[in-house]
Amino acid sequence: MRSFLGRDILSLKDVERDDYFRIFQVAEELRPHAENRRNGDLLKHKTLLTAFYQPSTRTRLSTEAAMHRLGGHVLGFSDAKMTRAGDFYQESMKDTVKMLEYYGDVIAMRHHVQGAPHEAARWASVPVINCGDGWGEHPTQVLTDLYTIWRDKGTLDGLKVLCVGDMRMRTMHSILYASSQFDMEAFVVSPPELSLLDEFKGELAERSVNYREVESVEECIADADVIYMEPVVQADYTQSRVDPTAEKGTTPAAYQVTRRLLQEKAKQDSIVLHSLPRMDELTTDVDSTRHARYWAEAANGVSLRMALLALVLGAIE
Ligand code: CP
């Protein structure tokens, strides 16, 4: 297993099977800080810099919470327009990062441009964590999701995962890359205009990812151990910010999960994950069923990100 010390977390393409289990093991070790709401001091000499060029509720705040839980320091921005990268100067990534690397020991970045965190990592002498890049990837979210599945099922092997939503979405890319490391079978359900791009399918073929495109949730939900969701009605992730519109559209039934569908068709022990925010693809009547795991997912995001920070900063080998 490669050392995590100083490692950028940019993509799940290059994360290997053993790496996942090491991250989960460390997340378990550090979990009591989050569960008992007691901050420790493991990272008291370290500073996290959050550079968020796109809105976020969960990813930024759980990464910051993780750093606080480990006694570290946090600074950053959540509105690039209030920095020189977002105003008149449009300061380049290189020039921005050449400052940020002196202000923090690790940079957590979200950006609307696919590959922007990779560009930052080229220039930064400190680790860069990709917190979502355009339609690219969302590694920390999917590590959180896999950790949630592993805690629930005790394994990531032998599982059938139903992925439903917009297949251009970064979480869908990361989870399908990750699935190549496990004995997983994926059913992929999306509207035709939001289906997997040919270029991405080529990458999945290269990685021998075991997946099958299916027309509706109803067709495959009975076989699924995990139902992994994203909206089909959603924002353009290549924009820095998308204001709400009065007309948002509704999700066709083929791409929705409801309490009734779960009751009538799903396995008793299947679990529903959604990285959130949701629209009407996941109805709120699912919240009170035994299938819902999205709140657990949100909570697990803190422990998982504690593990990543501790590992890349070398506080834990
Ligand atoms: N799941 C997720 O990435 O949520 P945020 O956009 O709120 O960070």
Side-chain angles (χ1 to χ4, degrees), residues 19-234:
D19 293 335
Y20 288 94
F21 295 120
R22 179 63 187 140
I23 296 168
F24 299 164
Q25 194 180 31
V26 175
E28 287 296 291
E29 265 173 51
L30 298 177
R31 192 174 180 86
H33 289 296
E35 278 183 348
N36 303 332
R37 299 180 181 277
R38 288 184 71 87
N39 297 355
D41 61 5
L42 190 67
L43 294 181
K44 69 180 176 189
H45 298 303
K46 298 292 181 185
T47 299
L48 163 72
L49 196 142
T50 49
F52 274 59
Y53 291 77
Q54 205 179 34
S56 165
T57 303
R58 285 145 287 267
T59 312
R60 182 171 68 84
L61 296 176
S62 62
T63 307
E64 294 189 357
M67 194 63 178
H68 285 297
R69 288 290 183 220
L70 296 178
H73 306 270
V74 178
L75 78 165
F77 58 85
S78 55
D79 181 357
K81 287 195 166 46
M82 295 307 290
T83 74
R84 295 306 197 190
D87 79 342
F88 174 84
Y89 298 96
Q90 294 288 302
E91 202 164 20
S92 72
M93 184 57 77
K94 178 181 177 183
D95 288 6
T96 303
V97 167
K98 283 290 174 199
M99 304 299 116
L100 302 187
E101 65 176 348
Y102 297 111
Y103 306 155
D105 304 300
V106 53
I107 299 170
M109 178 177 287
R110 170 169 287 189
H111 208 291
H112 49 282
V113 175
Q114 186 170 340
H118 306 64
E119 168 74 1
R122 276 184 65 203
W123 304 112
S125 59
V126 299
V128 174
I129 299 178
N130 178 1
C131 289
D133 62 317
W135 294 118
E137 279 200 68
H138 198 345
T140 69
Q141 177 64 51
V142 170
L143 285 166
T144 297
D145 303 336
L146 293 173
Y147 175 51
T148 303
I149 298 168
W150 175 78
R151 290 197 96 238
D152 202 279
K153 301 284 183 194
T155 181
L156 292 175
D157 292 311
L159 298 178
K160 290 185 167 48
V161 180
L162 160 54
C163 295
V164 53
D166 183 344
M167 290 301 140
R168 299 169 306 165
M169 194 58 196
R170 48 205 183 195
T171 47
M172 292 300 180
H173 296 159
S174 291
I175 196 161
L176 288 169
Y177 289 137
S179 72
S180 72
Q181 299 298 308
F182 308 100
D183 171 23
M184 268 185 190
E185 183 181 348
F187 307 118
V188 172
V189 179
S190 67
E193 66 280 13
L194 305 178
S195 63
L196 296 169
L197 297 176
D198 287 341
E199 183 191 318
F200 182 60
K201 281 186 186 177
E203 287 195 75
L204 297 183
E206 264 172 40
R207 292 179 160 73
S208 305
V209 170
N210 182 7
Y211 76 97
R212 180 158 66 88
E213 290 182 286
V214 179
E215 280 187 11
S216 71
V217 170
E218 193 167 4
E219 233 179 281
C220 54
I221 196 168
D223 292 323
D225 302 296
V226 177
I227 301 157
Y228 188 81
M229 304 193 68
E230 282 290 348
V232 296
V233 177
Q234 64 173 346

